[in-house]
Amino acid sequence: MAASAGLTILRPGMLASVQDLGRHGHRQLGICPGGALDTLALTLANRLVGNPDGAAGLELTMGGCEIRFEAATRIAIAGDDFGATLDGAPIWPYWSMPVGAGQVFRLAGANRSPLKAGLRTWLAVAGGVDVPVILGSRSTDLKAGFGGHQGRALKKGDHLLLGTAGLDAQQLARRPFGVRGPGAGPERDRTTVLRVMPGPEFGQFTIASREALWGGSWRITPQSNRMGSRLEGVELKRRRAVDMLSSGVIPGTIQVPPSGQPIILMGDAQTTGGYPRIGVVIRADLWKLAQAPLNGRLRLQQVDSADALAAWDERRRYLAQVAQGLASAGWVAAAQNQAQGVPDAD
Protein backbone atom coordinates (compact mmCIF):
# COMPACT_ATOMS: atom_id res chain seq x y z
CA MET A 1 0.00 0.00 0.00
CA ALA A 2 1.27 3.48 -0.89
CA ALA A 3 0.69 6.69 1.06
CA SER A 4 0.46 10.15 -0.53
CA ALA A 5 1.37 13.49 1.00
CA GLY A 6 -1.49 15.40 -0.52
CA LEU A 7 -2.35 18.11 -2.99
CA THR A 8 -2.36 21.92 -3.06
CA ILE A 9 -5.03 24.14 -4.57
CA LEU A 10 -3.29 26.72 -6.77
CA ARG A 11 -6.56 28.06 -8.20
CA PRO A 12 -10.00 26.76 -7.15
CA GLY A 13 -11.95 28.03 -10.16
CA MET A 14 -15.59 29.06 -9.80
CA LEU A 15 -16.39 26.60 -7.00
CA ALA A 16 -14.41 23.63 -5.71
CA SER A 17 -15.35 21.48 -2.73
CA VAL A 18 -14.67 18.12 -1.15
CA GLN A 19 -17.54 15.69 -1.78
CA ASP A 20 -18.28 11.99 -1.41
CA LEU A 21 -21.52 10.07 -2.02
CA GLY A 22 -23.41 12.10 0.57
CA ARG A 23 -24.53 12.38 4.17
CA HIS A 24 -27.55 10.09 4.38
CA GLY A 25 -29.93 9.24 7.21
CA HIS A 26 -30.23 12.70 8.81
CA ARG A 27 -33.14 14.29 6.97
CA GLN A 28 -35.24 14.23 10.15
CA LEU A 29 -32.70 16.71 11.56
CA GLY A 30 -33.03 18.98 8.54
CA ILE A 31 -29.62 17.92 7.19
CA CYS A 32 -29.58 17.49 3.43
CA PRO A 33 -27.74 14.54 1.87
CA GLY A 34 -25.44 16.77 -0.17
CA GLY A 35 -22.48 14.93 -1.64
CA ALA A 36 -21.40 14.84 -5.26
CA LEU A 37 -24.25 16.01 -7.46
CA ASP A 38 -23.25 13.29 -9.92
CA THR A 39 -22.65 10.19 -7.80
CA LEU A 40 -22.16 8.11 -10.94
CA ALA A 41 -19.22 10.27 -12.07
CA LEU A 42 -17.52 10.18 -8.67
CA THR A 43 -18.03 6.41 -8.41
CA LEU A 44 -16.44 5.82 -11.81
CA ALA A 45 -13.51 8.11 -11.03
CA ASN A 46 -12.95 6.36 -7.69
CA ARG A 47 -12.94 2.92 -9.27
CA LEU A 48 -10.41 4.07 -11.84
CA VAL A 49 -7.92 5.03 -9.10
CA GLY A 50 -8.52 1.99 -6.91
CA ASN A 51 -10.65 3.71 -4.27
CA PRO A 52 -13.85 2.49 -2.61
CA ASP A 53 -16.91 3.98 -4.29
CA GLY A 54 -17.55 6.28 -1.33
CA ALA A 55 -14.09 7.84 -1.12
CA ALA A 56 -14.03 11.64 -1.07
CA GLY A 57 -12.95 13.52 -4.17
CA LEU A 58 -13.23 17.06 -5.51
CA GLU A 59 -16.23 18.58 -7.27
CA LEU A 60 -14.99 21.31 -9.64
CA THR A 61 -17.42 23.79 -11.19
CA MET A 62 -16.94 25.48 -14.58
CA GLY A 63 -13.25 24.71 -14.80
CA GLY A 64 -10.59 27.38 -14.31
CA CYS A 65 -8.73 25.49 -11.56
CA GLU A 66 -5.14 24.35 -10.96
CA ILE A 67 -4.04 21.65 -8.52
CA ARG A 68 -0.48 20.54 -7.69
CA PHE A 69 0.19 17.00 -6.45
CA GLU A 70 2.88 16.77 -3.80
CA ALA A 71 3.69 13.07 -4.23
CA ALA A 72 3.32 10.37 -6.86
CA THR A 73 -0.28 9.19 -7.08
CA ARG A 74 -3.01 8.35 -9.57
CA ILE A 75 -5.97 10.45 -10.70
CA ALA A 76 -9.13 10.19 -12.79
CA ILE A 77 -11.70 12.76 -13.82
CA ALA A 78 -15.33 12.19 -14.74
CA GLY A 79 -17.92 14.58 -16.10
CA ASP A 80 -16.87 17.41 -18.39
CA ASP A 81 -13.14 17.69 -19.12
CA PHE A 82 -12.88 21.50 -19.54
CA GLY A 83 -9.71 20.95 -21.54
CA ALA A 84 -8.04 19.01 -18.71
CA THR A 85 -4.24 18.83 -18.80
CA LEU A 86 -1.43 17.45 -16.66
CA ASP A 87 1.70 19.59 -17.01
CA GLY A 88 0.21 20.79 -20.29
CA ALA A 89 -0.47 17.34 -21.77
CA PRO A 90 -4.16 16.59 -22.40
CA ILE A 91 -5.97 14.01 -20.29
CA TRP A 92 -9.44 12.61 -20.82
CA PRO A 93 -12.52 11.89 -18.71
CA TYR A 94 -12.91 8.30 -17.49
CA TRP A 95 -9.19 7.56 -17.82
CA SER A 96 -6.90 6.53 -14.99
CA MET A 97 -3.62 8.48 -15.10
CA PRO A 98 -0.34 8.20 -13.14
CA VAL A 99 0.86 11.49 -11.62
CA GLY A 100 4.36 12.42 -10.49
CA ALA A 101 5.29 14.58 -7.51
CA GLY A 102 5.04 18.25 -8.41
CA GLN A 103 2.88 17.80 -11.49
CA VAL A 104 0.05 20.30 -12.01
CA PHE A 105 -3.48 19.42 -13.11
CA ARG A 106 -5.41 22.19 -14.88
CA LEU A 107 -8.92 22.70 -16.13
CA ALA A 108 -9.51 25.44 -18.70
CA GLY A 109 -12.42 27.82 -18.25
CA ALA A 110 -16.01 27.11 -19.25
CA ASN A 111 -15.68 29.06 -22.52
CA ARG A 112 -12.78 27.00 -23.88
CA SER A 113 -14.79 25.94 -26.96
CA PRO A 114 -17.99 27.20 -28.58
CA LEU A 115 -18.88 23.61 -29.48
CA LYS A 116 -18.74 22.11 -26.01
CA ALA A 117 -20.56 22.93 -22.83
CA GLY A 118 -20.69 21.56 -19.33
CA LEU A 119 -20.82 22.55 -15.72
CA ARG A 120 -18.97 20.18 -13.39
CA THR A 121 -16.06 17.76 -13.19
CA TRP A 122 -15.26 15.25 -10.43
CA LEU A 123 -11.64 14.47 -9.61
CA ALA A 124 -10.67 11.31 -7.72
CA VAL A 125 -7.17 10.74 -6.32
CA ALA A 126 -5.78 7.41 -5.13
CA GLY A 127 -6.42 7.12 -1.38
CA GLY A 128 -9.21 9.69 -1.43
CA VAL A 129 -9.20 13.16 0.15
CA ASP A 130 -8.58 12.70 3.88
CA VAL A 131 -10.79 15.13 5.78
CA PRO A 132 -12.74 14.38 8.99
CA VAL A 133 -15.83 12.19 8.80
CA ILE A 134 -18.84 14.09 10.16
CA LEU A 135 -22.18 12.29 10.48
CA GLY A 136 -20.89 9.49 8.31
CA SER A 137 -19.58 11.61 5.43
CA ARG A 138 -16.63 13.72 4.33
CA SER A 139 -18.83 15.90 2.10
CA THR A 140 -18.86 19.68 2.42
CA ASP A 141 -22.24 21.11 3.46
CA LEU A 142 -21.71 24.57 2.00
CA LYS A 143 -25.02 25.89 3.30
CA ALA A 144 -24.57 24.75 6.92
CA GLY A 145 -20.80 25.30 6.93
CA PHE A 146 -19.50 21.93 8.09
CA GLY A 147 -17.79 18.87 6.63
CA GLY A 148 -15.19 18.76 3.89
CA HIS A 149 -12.27 21.14 4.35
CA GLN A 150 -13.19 23.53 7.17
CA GLY A 151 -16.84 23.47 6.08
CA ARG A 152 -16.26 25.74 3.09
CA ALA A 153 -15.40 25.96 -0.59
CA LEU A 154 -11.72 25.48 -1.36
CA LYS A 155 -9.42 28.49 -1.66
CA LYS A 156 -6.04 29.23 -3.21
CA GLY A 157 -3.30 27.75 -1.03
CA ASP A 158 -5.43 25.07 0.65
CA HIS A 159 -3.50 21.85 1.25
CA LEU A 160 -5.46 18.60 1.39
CA LEU A 161 -4.08 15.35 2.73
CA LEU A 162 -4.79 12.07 0.99
CA GLY A 163 -5.59 8.72 2.53
CA THR A 164 -3.53 5.59 2.08
CA ALA A 165 -3.93 4.32 -1.46
CA GLY A 166 -4.92 0.69 -1.97
CA LEU A 167 -2.35 0.42 -4.77
CA ASP A 168 1.28 -0.67 -4.78
CA ALA A 169 4.01 1.27 -6.56
CA GLN A 170 3.57 -0.74 -9.76
CA GLN A 171 -0.15 -0.06 -9.88
CA LEU A 172 0.34 3.64 -9.15
CA ALA A 173 2.72 3.88 -12.11
CA ARG A 174 0.64 1.76 -14.51
CA ARG A 175 0.13 3.20 -17.99
CA PRO A 176 -3.08 5.20 -18.53
CA PHE A 177 -6.25 3.25 -19.24
CA GLY A 178 -9.92 4.14 -19.43
CA VAL A 179 -13.51 2.97 -19.54
CA ARG A 180 -16.56 3.92 -21.58
CA GLY A 181 -18.37 6.84 -19.98
CA PRO A 182 -22.13 6.77 -19.35
CA GLY A 183 -22.92 9.08 -22.25
CA ALA A 184 -21.73 12.03 -24.26
CA GLY A 185 -21.65 15.41 -22.53
CA PRO A 186 -24.23 18.04 -23.48
CA GLU A 187 -23.58 20.24 -26.50
CA ARG A 188 -24.66 23.85 -26.81
CA ASP A 189 -27.07 22.99 -29.62
CA ARG A 190 -28.52 19.90 -27.97
CA THR A 191 -31.26 19.41 -25.41
CA THR A 192 -30.82 17.29 -22.28
CA VAL A 193 -33.76 14.94 -21.78
CA LEU A 194 -34.76 14.14 -18.19
CA ARG A 195 -37.29 11.44 -17.34
CA VAL A 196 -39.84 12.68 -14.81
CA MET A 197 -42.65 11.08 -12.81
CA PRO A 198 -45.71 13.21 -11.96
CA GLY A 199 -45.52 14.63 -8.44
CA PRO A 200 -48.06 14.65 -5.58
CA GLU A 201 -49.58 17.98 -6.66
CA PHE A 202 -49.46 17.32 -10.42
CA GLY A 203 -53.26 17.27 -10.59
CA GLN A 204 -53.53 20.77 -9.07
CA PHE A 205 -52.18 22.32 -12.27
CA THR A 206 -54.22 23.31 -15.29
CA ILE A 207 -54.38 20.93 -18.24
CA ALA A 208 -52.44 23.45 -20.33
CA SER A 209 -49.69 23.62 -17.70
CA ARG A 210 -49.45 19.85 -17.44
CA GLU A 211 -49.12 19.58 -21.21
CA ALA A 212 -46.53 22.38 -21.23
CA LEU A 213 -44.44 20.57 -18.63
CA TRP A 214 -43.90 17.68 -21.05
CA GLY A 215 -44.10 19.52 -24.35
CA GLY A 216 -42.06 22.64 -23.64
CA SER A 217 -38.37 23.45 -23.76
CA TRP A 218 -36.88 24.71 -20.49
CA ARG A 219 -33.79 26.89 -20.09
CA ILE A 220 -31.48 26.38 -17.08
CA THR A 221 -30.94 29.89 -15.72
CA PRO A 222 -27.64 31.22 -14.28
CA GLN A 223 -29.37 31.50 -10.87
CA SER A 224 -29.01 27.71 -10.52
CA ASN A 225 -26.64 26.21 -7.94
CA ARG A 226 -26.08 23.11 -5.81
CA MET A 227 -29.44 23.71 -4.10
CA GLY A 228 -31.51 23.71 -7.26
CA SER A 229 -31.68 24.22 -11.01
CA ARG A 230 -34.00 27.12 -11.79
CA LEU A 231 -35.81 26.78 -15.10
CA GLU A 232 -37.34 29.33 -17.44
CA GLY A 233 -40.17 28.56 -19.83
CA VAL A 234 -43.94 28.55 -20.00
CA GLU A 235 -45.59 29.76 -16.78
CA LEU A 236 -47.09 26.79 -14.94
CA LYS A 237 -50.42 27.68 -13.34
CA ARG A 238 -52.51 25.91 -10.74
CA ARG A 239 -56.27 25.57 -11.24
CA ARG A 240 -56.83 27.48 -8.01
CA ALA A 241 -54.66 28.83 -5.23
CA VAL A 242 -54.56 26.41 -2.31
CA ASP A 243 -52.45 26.86 0.81
CA MET A 244 -50.09 23.97 1.43
CA LEU A 245 -48.39 22.61 4.50
CA SER A 246 -44.66 22.06 4.19
CA SER A 247 -43.87 18.50 3.18
CA GLY A 248 -40.80 16.41 2.49
CA VAL A 249 -38.76 16.94 -0.67
CA ILE A 250 -35.84 15.03 -2.16
CA PRO A 251 -33.24 15.73 -4.85
CA GLY A 252 -35.04 15.68 -8.18
CA THR A 253 -38.28 17.15 -6.83
CA ILE A 254 -39.70 19.79 -9.19
CA GLN A 255 -41.29 22.59 -7.17
CA VAL A 256 -43.33 25.41 -8.70
CA PRO A 257 -43.18 28.73 -6.78
CA PRO A 258 -45.73 31.53 -7.36
CA SER A 259 -43.74 32.76 -10.39
CA GLY A 260 -44.79 29.59 -12.23
CA GLN A 261 -41.15 28.89 -13.17
CA PRO A 262 -40.11 25.44 -11.87
CA ILE A 263 -37.11 24.61 -9.71
CA ILE A 264 -35.53 21.15 -9.75
CA LEU A 265 -34.04 20.50 -6.33
CA MET A 266 -30.44 19.29 -6.11
CA GLY A 267 -28.33 17.66 -3.40
CA ASP A 268 -27.96 20.73 -1.16
CA ALA A 269 -31.66 21.61 -1.19
CA GLN A 270 -33.76 21.92 1.95
CA THR A 271 -35.42 18.76 3.30
CA THR A 272 -38.97 20.21 3.37
CA GLY A 273 -40.82 22.71 1.22
CA GLY A 274 -44.18 24.38 0.82
CA TYR A 275 -44.38 24.80 -2.96
CA PRO A 276 -46.46 22.34 -5.01
CA ARG A 277 -44.47 19.40 -6.38
CA ILE A 278 -45.45 18.94 -10.01
CA GLY A 279 -42.97 16.17 -10.68
CA VAL A 280 -39.74 14.44 -9.72
CA VAL A 281 -36.74 13.63 -11.92
CA ILE A 282 -35.99 9.92 -11.65
CA ARG A 283 -32.89 9.02 -9.70
CA ALA A 284 -31.16 7.46 -12.71
CA ASP A 285 -31.21 10.81 -14.57
CA LEU A 286 -29.96 13.16 -11.84
CA TRP A 287 -26.40 12.87 -13.16
CA LYS A 288 -27.52 14.44 -16.45
CA LEU A 289 -28.94 17.45 -14.62
CA ALA A 290 -25.75 17.84 -12.56
CA GLN A 291 -23.74 18.19 -15.78
CA ALA A 292 -26.24 20.18 -17.87
CA PRO A 293 -24.77 23.63 -18.65
CA LEU A 294 -26.18 26.97 -17.55
CA ASN A 295 -28.41 28.41 -20.27
CA GLY A 296 -28.69 24.88 -21.66
CA ARG A 297 -32.03 23.41 -22.68
CA LEU A 298 -33.99 20.66 -20.96
CA ARG A 299 -36.92 18.59 -22.11
CA LEU A 300 -38.95 16.67 -19.53
CA GLN A 301 -40.29 13.26 -20.52
CA GLN A 302 -43.13 11.67 -18.56
CA VAL A 303 -42.49 8.16 -17.22
CA ASP A 304 -43.99 5.90 -14.58
CA SER A 305 -42.53 3.91 -11.68
CA ALA A 306 -41.85 0.87 -13.88
CA ASP A 307 -39.78 3.03 -16.25
CA ALA A 308 -37.88 4.53 -13.29
CA LEU A 309 -37.01 1.10 -11.90
CA ALA A 310 -35.94 -0.14 -15.33
CA ALA A 311 -33.67 2.90 -15.72
CA TRP A 312 -32.08 2.24 -12.33
CA ASP A 313 -31.50 -1.41 -13.27
CA GLU A 314 -29.81 -0.22 -16.47
CA ARG A 315 -27.48 1.97 -14.42
CA ARG A 316 -26.64 -0.94 -12.12
CA ARG A 317 -25.83 -3.14 -15.13
CA TYR A 318 -23.57 -0.44 -16.55
CA LEU A 319 -21.62 -0.18 -13.28
CA ALA A 320 -21.37 -3.97 -13.08
CA GLN A 321 -19.98 -4.05 -16.63
CA VAL A 322 -17.41 -1.39 -15.72
CA ALA A 323 -16.35 -3.40 -12.65
CA GLN A 324 -16.08 -6.58 -14.72
CA GLY A 325 -14.03 -4.83 -17.39
CA LEU A 326 -11.61 -3.34 -14.87
CA ALA A 327 -11.21 -6.68 -13.12
CA SER A 328 -10.57 -8.44 -16.46
CA ALA A 329 -7.89 -5.84 -17.20
CA GLY A 330 -6.11 -6.81 -13.98
CA TRP A 331 -7.08 -3.75 -11.96
CA VAL A 332 -6.67 -5.26 -8.48
CA ALA A 333 -8.90 -2.84 -6.61
CA ALA A 334 -11.72 -3.43 -9.11
CA ALA A 335 -11.42 -7.17 -8.65
CA GLN A 336 -11.63 -6.75 -4.88
CA ASN A 337 -14.76 -4.58 -5.16
CA GLN A 338 -16.36 -7.10 -7.49
CA ALA A 339 -15.58 -9.93 -5.09
CA GLN A 340 -17.19 -7.99 -2.27
CA GLY A 341 -20.33 -7.55 -4.36
CA VAL A 342 -20.24 -3.75 -4.62
CA PRO A 343 -23.18 -3.25 -7.03
CA ASP A 344 -23.88 0.45 -7.02
CA ALA A 345 -22.83 3.97 -6.23
CA ASP A 346 -25.64 4.64 -3.82
Side-chain angles (χ1 to χ4, degrees):
M1 302 295 180
S4 177
L7 57 87
T8 300
I9 305 297
L10 303 180
R11 285 199 303 153
M14 179 71 71
L15 175 64
S17 62
V18 177
Q19 303 291 345
D20 58 18
L21 296 184
R23 185 169 285 108
H24 301 281
H26 307 288
R27 300 183 67 84
Q28 74 278 13
L29 303 176
I31 299 174
C32 66
L37 294 184
D38 184 347
T39 57
L40 180 57
L42 181 58
T43 294
L44 291 169
N46 271 326
R47 292 186 181 187
L48 284 166
V49 297
N51 290 344
D53 290 353
L58 300 184
E59 183 174 282
L60 309 170
T61 304
M62 298 185 72
C65 71
E66 295 184 9
I67 299 169
R68 183 178 65 237
F69 298 94
E70 308 300 349
T73 185
R74 200 165 187 96
I75 65 171
I77 60 172
D80 196 274
D81 66 2
F82 288 104
T85 61
L86 187 65
D87 277 0
I91 61 176
W92 303 274
Y94 309 105
W95 277 71
S96 178
M97 309 287 297
V99 176
Q103 287 196 289
V104 175
F105 166 83
R106 292 183 176 88
L107 291 180
N111 296 322
R112 71 203 181 284
S113 166
L115 300 178
K116 297 187 69 177
L119 190 59
R120 297 180 178 93
T121 298
W122 289 265
L123 171 68
V125 187
V129 178
D130 187 13
V131 294
V133 176
I134 299 176
L135 296 176
S137 173
R138 290 184 167 88
S139 286
T140 312
D141 190 321
L142 294 168
K143 180 175 60 175
F146 70 89
H149 180 68
Q150 300 177 9
R152 59 168 172 80
L154 298 175
K155 299 178 181 179
K156 179 180 179 179
D158 282 343
H159 181 76
L160 301 176
L161 297 177
L162 300 175
T164 300
L167 305 173
D168 59 28
Q170 183 178 5
Q171 291 171 326
L172 282 175
R174 180 173 171 168
R175 292 178 60 183
F177 63 90
V179 299
R180 176 180 60 86
E187 304 287 345
R188 291 194 188 277
D189 59 349
R190 294 182 58 187
T191 298
T192 300
V193 178
L194 301 177
R195 290 166 287 187
V196 175
M197 293 177 59
E201 287 76 51
F202 180 77
Q204 292 185 10
F205 288 83
T206 65
I207 293 175
S209 293
R210 283 180 266 169
E211 292 176 347
L213 182 70
W214 312 125
S217 175
W218 301 95
R219 183 177 72 93
I220 304 173
T221 74
Q223 288 70 44
S224 303
N225 54 33
R226 280 185 51 92
M227 294 183 66
S229 291
R230 293 179 175 270
L231 309 186
E232 180 182 82
V234 175
E235 181 182 353
L236 302 178
K237 298 179 180 180
R238 297 162 78 187
R239 291 179 295 170
R240 59 188 178 89
V242 178
D243 289 336
M244 287 183 54
L245 295 175
S246 291
S247 52
V249 293
I250 60 174
T253 298
I254 306 176
Q255 291 187 308
V256 183
S259 67
Q261 300 299 291
I263 303 169
I264 307 179
L265 301 185
M266 305 286 277
D268 279 2
Q270 71 279 8
T271 57
T272 62
Y275 294 141
R277 300 158 294 178
I278 196 171
V280 59
V281 177
I282 68 171
R283 193 179 180 195
D285 279 4
L286 287 176
W287 71 272
K288 299 179 185 179
L289 181 61
Q291 295 191 33
L294 300 179
N295 291 313
R297 290 284 172 178
L298 296 179
R299 183 168 64 83
L300 307 180
Q301 176 184 343
Q302 183 177 4
V303 297
D304 58 22
S305 59
D307 296 321
L309 291 171
W312 192 249
D313 284 342
E314 182 180 1
R315 168 177 162 139
R316 291 169 65 92
R317 287 193 297 272
Y318 164 69
L319 281 171
Q321 290 169 358
V322 169
Q324 184 177 19
L326 290 174
S328 298
W331 194 231
V332 175
Q336 292 172 344
N337 277 348
Q338 190 178 42
Q340 293 167 5
V342 179
D344 212 327
D346 301 291

